[in-house]
Amino acid sequence: ISFSRNYGISKSKGEYIQFIDGDDLIKTNEFLDIYQIALESNPDIILFNWQNLYVNGKTVDVRPIVHSERALHVDKNNVLYSLFDRKLQSYVWSFLAKKKLWQKIKFPVNRQWEDYAVVYKILDLGISFFHVDIPVIEYRRREGSISTTKNRYAIQSNVIDIIDASSEVYEYFLKTNYSSKAAEFALSYLLMASQMSKGYKNKIIRQSLSDAIQRIGQEVTSKKSKLAVILYRLKLYDLSMRLKNTVKLRNGKKSLK
């Protein structure tokens, strides 16, 4: 997919580029609103909301940046901190960006998690931002996707690529004012990879993951992230996540009664 995206960028003719996954849906009228803002205000990047679309037909609205206006100029710091807090997800289809920004980077070929590997770079390259408080994309959430697979070889590839991308995020922001927040962002993906690969026996990959968590974990400052690193080091992180999920499940059942 990275090769196709890089090729598409090189051949595109317009001023802006919008990505969409083949199995997702785009709301045509809402996207025309985005296009109109691009014509009128000419920002580098226009962010918007989306809807998670589940197999049962249920949709859940996702608002990466919360404010009271329908369309609003947003500060770059606000955008990056929303990304680092994972309110704004690393999806290339979650914003419209100028072609000139995409021409400065390349999607990593032969790697999964390519969105995670490039979104932070595009947002950092942008200068002017708008956020439009309407859902534009319907994102299909399904089992069997790259992030939910249980295939052993796919898990190995996922973990390796998350380690590589997280290390790149860490190095990219290391000597900036965003270093600690970016480290927490990268750490969250590494801890997700540890959950994804629990029970996986490849010692080399498990050690590489552990080394990355320890190295990047040294830069975090929040109590939550520091605690996560300590729990991981003590081999208690998986247990803490199981307990957390159990409590969530029980609370969810109670709310249904």
Side-chain angles (χ1 to χ4, degrees), residues 167-223:
S167 297
E168 289 164 3
V169 169
Y170 174 70
E171 295 294 338
Y172 185 91
F173 290 105
L174 184 58
K175 295 182 180 180
T176 71
N177 294 331
Y178 302 114
S179 60
S180 62
K181 290 295 294 184
E184 290 171 9
F185 173 58
L187 177 66
S188 72
Y189 275 88
L190 292 171
L191 292 172
M192 179 181 66
S194 78
Q195 290 288 288
M196 189 186 300
S197 62
K198 58 186 177 184
Y200 186 61
K201 304 300 183 182
N202 188 307
K203 292 183 179 179
I204 296 176
I205 293 177
R206 297 292 296 180
Q207 187 60 52
S208 296
L209 179 59
S210 179
D211 290 346
I213 289 174
Q214 298 299 337
R215 179 169 59 93
I216 294 174
Q218 294 177 359
E219 189 70 25
V220 302
T221 57
S222 74
K223 291 181 180 179

Side-chain angles (χ1 to χ4, degrees), residues 16 37 41-48 65 67 71-83 88 94-98 101 119-132 178:
Y16 286 89
I37 290 173
S41 302
N42 196 38
D44 288 336
I45 294 173
I46 302 177
L47 303 141
F48 46 76
I65 300 175
H67 54 77
L72 184 72
H73 170 77
V74 288
D75 180 71
K76 179 175 179 173
N77 287 333
N78 189 358
V79 172
L80 286 174
Y81 283 129
S82 292
L83 177 71
L88 173 60
S94 66
F95 54 86
L96 180 72
K98 284 190 173 180
L101 301 181
V119 166
Y120 68 91
K121 294 178 182 178
I122 289 295
L123 297 182
D124 186 52
L125 287 170
I127 296 174
S128 56
F129 298 81
F130 257 77
H131 174 246
V132 183
Y178 302 114

